Amino acid sequence: MKFFIDTANLDQIRQAASYGILDGVTTNPSLIAKEGRSQYDQIRAICEIVDGDISAEVVSVESDEMIREGRDLAAIHPNLSSNAHSSGKGSRRRRPSPPKVSGST
C-alpha cells in the first residue's frame, strides 16, 4: 500500500512528509489555484519536498495544447506524471481513422 496526499498546500505536504510514510502527492489545478502561486511554481515547490510520485493535471482544453502542457509538466521532475482530462475537445482522436474501403464485387 502507498500513502498519497491529495493537496497542493505546502504546509500539509510537509506535515505528511514528516510522518515518514508519504509516498507521493496528487494535485489538480483547483487545489493549486487555492495556494495563490503559478501552477509551475507550486509544482516545483512540491517536488522539493517530496521524493516520491507526484501527479499534476493539465489545464488546457485543446488536445495539442494538453499534450504540450503535459510534456512541460513532466519535465519539471523525473517523479512527476501529468494527467489530462478526457472531455470535450481534449478527447479527440490523435490519429486519423483508417480510410474506408468501398468497392463492388
Side-chain angles (χ1 to χ4, degrees), residues 16-17 21 23 39 42 45-46 48 52 57 62 69 75-76 89 93 101 103-104:
I21 61 170
D23 292 305
Q39 180 181 22
Q42 193 68 10
I46 292 169
E48 290 175 9
E57 190 175 305
E62 296 289 335
E69 185 181 348
I76 292 174
K89 294 179 183 178
R93 297 185 123 197
V101 178
S104 57

Side-chain angles (χ1 to χ4, degrees), residues 2-76:
K2 289 189 173 189
F3 179 72
F4 287 78
I5 187 169
D6 187 31
T7 187
N9 182 279
L10 300 179
D11 290 334
Q12 292 174 353
I13 295 168
R14 282 187 197 96
Q15 182 177 8
S18 74
Y19 301 145
I21 61 170
L22 184 64
D23 292 305
V25 176
T26 60
T27 191
N28 64 55
S30 297
L31 294 172
I32 291 172
K34 291 178 185 178
E35 300 307 311
R37 294 173 71 176
S38 78
Q39 180 181 22
Y40 289 89
D41 288 344
Q42 193 68 10
I43 291 170
R44 281 186 193 95
I46 292 169
C47 292
E48 290 175 9
I49 299 168
V50 178
D51 184 28
D53 297 331
I54 301 163
S55 175
E57 190 175 305
V58 301
V59 296
S60 301
V61 295
E62 296 289 335
S63 183
D64 292 336
E65 187 63 20
M66 290 169 74
I67 292 168
R68 185 205 56 78
E69 185 181 348
R71 288 180 176 151
D72 289 348
L73 287 171
I76 292 174

